[in-house]
Amino acid sequence: MTPAPDPVSLTAPICALLIALVPLVLAGLVLINTGFGRARGAAYAMLSSLTAMAIAAATYCLCGFSWEGFTGLPASMFSLGGKPWDWIAKEPFFLRGLTSSPSRAALAVFLQLLLVSIAALIPVSTGADRWKLRSICISTALFAGWTYPLFAHWVWGGGWLAQLGRNFGLGNGFLDPGGAGTAQVLGGLFALSLAWTLGPRRGKYRADRPPAAIPGHNMVYVLFGCVLIVPGWIGLNAAGAILFAGAAIPSIALIAVNTMLSASTSYLVAVLVTRVRFGKPDASLCANGWVGGLVASSAICCFVTPIVAMVVGVVAGALVMAAAEVLEVRLKVDDPGGAISVHVVAGVWGLLAAGVYAHIPTAPGSFLSGGQRVSGQLLAQVVGIATLVGIMLPMIHGLNWVLNRVDPQRVTRHGEQMGMDMHELGGGAYPEFVMHSED
């Protein structure tokens, strides 16, 4: 009789298959970015998204992993209060420290190449119709080569945020299995900095009237993108939970259920809110509700029961709706695709929910059934969020400010009026149709 396969031996190939689903998230986000922009910038939206992905992956390979590393690999430390604090990795450039064996570190690099690309796509949505391609390349290279790997090391590479439990007794340290903070919030903060740097699109805000509605040119792209990212997000959450939270293979089913339920309930809240407020559901806001639920699920996917995942989704949907209005109307932040409210607000809520609801396993494979609440976990999550807002946001905005002073990142007024397709590419996405200006 053939013996049953060892579950441990199956972890690497199953994790690799899960990571192979993650490019669906990239494809979905590219479609969402394109659909939310103007028709005269559709081809440029696609090309700039691909460019951001390529620059992010190449830069991460060049030096990003060198700063991020992985738990157990060499790192730089300093002593504070008699305790060691790990702040940055010491890996060779060009991934030379990795072997060809299917180690957890190699799988983590595979996942991180995709995660850093996801994070780089978020500001592309916010900079729609006015962000230069040259500036996208430079800003993305800095983000993927330094900002992202630095914070990722603190969370996933054995850095000081991961050490909060051991050094201060704050739960199990900062928890972020699917990248709600490391990829989503960090990318959203990049988008927020970019919105401040670029300013609003022409005609969006005028002194004598409310903010002008500039609808996306293709909601079919946006909604299809929402459908496309679901299997990819399940793969992302499951692979992240296995690599960064020690989840076992049987927990994949729970992770998939929680991911889907969080997205579904967040979406239904968006449908209900827009139906009550506007008389009919708003497709763009409903799409944002769906993605916001997925973002929040990345923080809690392997630590909560399905009913809690539904609660997290409900709150995420309500927060995304409220944040979108506050940002656009009150703070005058022009964010064409709602990326800031979706990725920052929903991501922060997911991280807080992990501190409130997470049950940490007491033994391998004992997720939920053998898990328990750990004191101090909420405070650990708050410290991680404070680090994102208090350290990473000023760092990102400072770099953007310097780049903008050296080489303005926004296209000229004439270029914006012409449309990004003609200005940057010399041809339109829809040459058989007449594209009207906003004037």
Side-chain angles (χ1 to χ4, degrees):
M1 183 176 179
T2 304
D6 181 2
V8 176
S9 66
L10 294 176
T11 300
I14 289 178
C15 190
L17 288 174
L18 291 169
I19 298 172
L21 293 173
V22 179
L24 291 173
V25 177
L26 294 168
L29 290 177
V30 169
L31 284 172
I32 291 171
N33 289 354
T34 303
F36 271 128
R38 287 187 171 112
R40 61 177 185 256
Y44 178 75
M46 281 277 189
L47 185 135
S48 60
S49 295
L50 288 172
T51 301
M53 290 161 50
I55 291 290
T59 309
Y60 184 83
C61 173
L62 169 64
C63 61
F65 183 73
S66 304
W67 315 132
E68 179 180 348
F70 192 72
T71 302
L73 296 180
S76 296
M77 299 188 184
F78 62 90
S79 180
L80 182 64
K83 298 176 181 178
W85 293 87
D86 183 338
W87 77 279
I88 196 168
K90 296 192 299 184
E91 284 293 298
F93 291 157
F94 294 106
L95 304 179
R96 296 198 312 273
L98 294 178
T99 65
S100 59
S101 62
S103 64
R104 292 177 69 88
L107 288 170
V109 170
F110 182 15
L111 179 59
Q112 294 284 15
L113 282 173
L114 299 171
L115 275 171
V116 72
S117 299
I118 290 171
L121 281 178
I122 297 170
V124 173
S125 171
T126 300
D129 302 318
R130 60 206 192 280
W131 197 15
K132 289 180 183 176
L133 187 62
R134 180 175 66 246
S135 299
I136 290 175
C137 294
I138 298 172
S139 295
T140 302
L142 287 173
F143 177 78
W146 173 251
T147 312
Y148 174 91
L150 181 64
F151 187 77
H153 175 75
W154 296 346
V155 179
W156 291 330
W160 67 271
L161 285 175
Q163 294 176 311
L164 288 174
R166 184 176 65 193
N167 287 342
F168 280 119
L170 300 182
N172 276 37
F174 184 64
L175 296 177
D176 188 17
T182 312
Q184 307 300 329
V185 175
L186 198 62
L189 292 176
F190 186 3
L192 177 61
S193 169
L194 187 70
W196 289 337
T197 301
L198 296 178
R201 290 167 291 176
R202 290 184 60 247
K204 179 65 179 179
Y205 297 106
R206 296 180 182 178
D208 57 341
R209 64 186 69 177
I214 306 177
H217 86 281
N218 197 323
M219 283 299 107
V220 175
Y221 284 1
V222 173
L223 295 174
F224 179 64
C226 290
V227 175
L228 196 61
I229 63 178
V230 174
W233 217 288
I234 290 172
L236 165 63
N237 283 350
I242 291 171
L243 291 172
F244 305 130
I249 290 176
S251 66
I252 293 174
L254 172 69
I255 293 168
V257 169
N258 285 347
T259 301
M260 190 65 189
L261 287 176
S262 180
S264 299
T265 52
S266 181
Y267 167 79
L268 291 174
V269 168
V271 171
L272 179 62
V273 169
T274 56
R275 175 68 176 82
V276 170
R277 181 158 188 192
F278 306 122
K280 296 179 181 179
D282 182 277
S284 61
L285 290 175
C286 291
N288 283 345
W290 179 266
V291 181
L294 291 172
V295 170
S297 75
S298 289
I300 51 92
C301 57
C302 59
F303 296 129
V304 301
T305 60
I307 188 65
V308 173
M310 294 177 71
V311 172
V312 170
V314 167
V315 177
L319 289 175
V320 168
M321 296 300 100
E325 180 173 354
V326 170
L327 286 166
E328 180 179 24
V329 178
R330 299 184 181 276
L331 300 181
K332 299 188 184 304
V333 174
D334 186 15
D335 183 14
I340 300 168
S341 58
V342 168
H343 296 277
V344 175
V345 176
V348 167
W349 158 240
L351 294 172
L352 287 173
V356 175
Y357 299 112
H359 282 66
I360 310 301
T362 55
S366 65
F367 278 73
L368 297 185
S369 61
Q372 62 182 9
R373 297 283 297 279
V374 179
S375 63
Q377 190 60 56
L378 177 58
L379 185 53
Q381 299 301 102
V382 170
V383 171
I385 294 168
T387 302
L388 281 163
V389 176
I391 297 178
M392 304 314 297
L393 177 58
M395 182 186 298
I396 292 169
H397 193 56
L399 289 172
N400 267 333
W401 183 85
V402 171
L403 289 175
N404 195 58
R405 296 284 291 181
V406 174
D407 179 24
Q409 299 195 48
R410 182 168 179 155
V411 297
T412 62
R413 179 184 179 90
H414 174 68
E416 187 177 354
Q417 189 172 17
M418 180 189 302
M420 299 300 288
D421 282 358
M422 293 300 299
H423 183 264
E424 292 284 311
L425 306 181
Y430 310 105
E432 297 180 358
F433 298 91
V434 176
M435 302 304 170
H436 298 282
S437 72
E438 75 275 9
D439 297 325

